[in-house]
Amino acid sequence: MSRPRILVTRRWPAAAEAALAERFDVTFNEKDVPLGLGQIRQALADYDAVLPTVSDKLPASVFERDIRTRILGNFGVGYNHIDIAAAKAKGILVTNTPGVLTDCTADIAMLLLLAVARRGGEGEREVRADAWKGWCPTHMIGTKVTGKTVGIIGFGRIGRAFAQRCHSGFGMNVVFYNRSKINDDEAERYGALQLATMEEVLAASDFVSLHCPGGAENRHLMNEARFATMKPGAFLINTARGDVVDEMALISALEAGTIRGAGLDVYEAEPQVPEKLKAMENVVLLPHLGSATAETRTAMGMKVVENISAFFDGREPPDRIV
């Protein structure tokens, strides 16, 4: 019996690629660049499984023709780059990789919070430019983190891991907004208090960190009105998805001093980042590094292998979305 044909749209860590190659007839994207819509459409016609990443766009239009693909094994936990309804309508099963990137993404959120509060990006640029004139009592004064209030939007795995770091590691007060009610005892494990509305969290917080899914439901969750609700000296942290933030509204809020700064790991039109954001000293910008450790990226690949192996063995994939 022939092995299922699999397309991997980007290169993975070697161990994960080897695990795939042991089980399947695998084609790797040797150029390791995002595939265009035409290439994705052709892949769906040619392969039994396609394993996309966040850099691959799968709108409804790629599912319009005859399709051979039976499963999309997404390399990542977020899947707003895939039109799930269109895939489901074609009978395609979709999986993701939850759990394994929780700690690393929470770490990046903490890195951004500290960097923007203590002006780490500005300081490093100054040193590299040979512009530092030496220690001075009033030089590059930042914001203390300990004792401040952090507001978390979305209290899933990553939101909770971030709350734990903020509360237990830095003595911060934690409030959060979540669409569903979280058990009080569970929230208390993370030193966190659930508030009834997102606006209450924004108004109470010195730092606001986004940990909610992307996609149509949460597109531009952070908009002009919600930036106006934040404290004037507050900071925004986003390690969720770029489309959760209206970037033009963010730029306006930063320019007007409505908020003090931002730390971003994700963007609306990755890899494009607005020039105005890049020019701002009070913004720390990272190139989508949330899960970028060897351990996590390998574990993500192994999750995909587990999901598609289960599918082709006739078992239920453990991380099925639809």
Side-chain angles (χ1 to χ4, degrees):
M1 183 177 176
S2 62
R3 299 194 296 176
R5 295 191 70 213
I6 309 292
L7 175 68
V8 182
T9 66
R10 301 297 298 271
R11 297 311 301 266
W12 290 3
E17 287 191 347
L20 265 180
E22 285 179 9
R23 295 167 172 80
F24 303 104
D25 177 7
V26 183
T27 299
F28 297 104
N29 176 5
E30 297 295 342
K31 293 182 179 179
D32 198 24
V33 294
L35 300 181
L37 293 182
Q39 293 170 301
I40 291 286
R41 193 176 290 112
Q42 190 61 50
L44 294 174
D46 293 343
Y47 292 90
D48 299 301
V50 174
L51 313 184
T53 73
V54 67
S55 67
D56 302 301
K57 307 307 177 188
L58 286 82
S61 61
V62 303
F63 298 101
E64 290 173 353
R65 59 185 284 182
D66 290 338
I67 288 175
R68 172 174 173 171
T69 295
R70 298 159 59 201
I71 181 171
L72 297 173
N74 187 54
F75 185 95
V77 65
Y79 49 87
N80 59 306
H81 53 290
I82 303 170
D83 190 314
I84 297 296
K88 183 178 181 181
K90 281 289 189 176
I92 300 173
L93 189 147
V94 184
T95 64
N96 67 342
T97 63
V100 294
L101 45 68
T102 298
D103 285 326
C104 286
T105 305
D107 288 346
I108 284 288
M110 201 73 235
L111 170 66
L112 286 169
L113 186 152
L114 292 169
V116 74
R118 298 301 306 273
R119 301 174 68 172
E122 293 175 73
E124 200 213 15
R125 286 189 292 275
E126 184 175 274
V127 172
R128 288 183 181 275
D130 291 326
W132 183 38
K133 304 304 181 184
W135 188 89
C136 170
T138 57
H139 178 244
M140 211 165 279
I141 300 296
T143 298
K144 186 177 179 181
V145 170
T146 301
K148 296 295 179 69
T149 297
V150 60
I152 297 174
I153 308 302
F155 209 63
R157 290 185 181 94
I158 299 172
R160 295 177 197 209
F162 180 66
Q164 183 179 45
R165 284 155 174 75
C166 291
H167 178 70
S168 300
F170 291 88
M172 301 183 78
N173 303 306
V174 180
V175 295
F176 69 93
Y177 171 74
N178 197 70
R179 283 182 173 154
S180 60
K181 172 64 178 172
I182 303 298
N183 180 277
D184 289 341
D185 290 339
E186 177 68 9
E188 181 58 33
R189 286 180 55 198
Y190 303 93
L193 174 67
Q194 183 168 6
L195 300 183
T197 68
M198 188 171 165
E199 284 69 23
E200 287 180 75
V201 170
L202 298 178
S205 302
D206 302 297
F207 301 86
V208 173
S209 191
L210 306 178
H211 298 283
C212 48
E217 189 176 16
N218 286 332
R219 185 174 186 274
H220 290 182
L221 193 71
M222 288 302 301
N223 52 33
E224 181 181 2
R226 287 196 165 118
F227 282 119
T229 304
M230 291 175 65
K231 289 183 177 181
F235 300 86
L236 177 76
I237 310 298
N238 188 14
T239 57
R241 279 291 184 262
D243 60 2
V244 174
V245 175
D246 180 340
E247 286 180 346
M248 294 304 102
L250 170 60
I251 290 167
S252 295
L254 290 164
E255 289 178 335
T258 304
I259 64 173
R260 184 169 175 178
L264 309 173
D265 189 42
V266 290
Y267 311 91
E268 281 198 82
E270 295 182 15
Q272 283 76 42
V273 179
E275 291 299 323
K276 286 189 175 181
L277 282 178
K278 290 191 284 187
M280 290 178 174
E281 288 288 357
N282 58 337
V283 179
V284 177
L285 305 170
L286 295 179
H288 205 147
L289 296 180
S291 63
T293 66
E295 298 90 341
T296 295
R297 292 281 170 85
T298 298
M300 290 165 67
M302 294 304 186
K303 270 271 191 185
V304 179
V305 174
E306 181 182 0
N307 280 309
I308 65 169
S309 294
F311 176 79
F312 286 111
D313 287 344
R315 296 179 285 113
E316 178 69 11
D319 302 305
R320 178 174 179 169
I321 300 165
V322 295

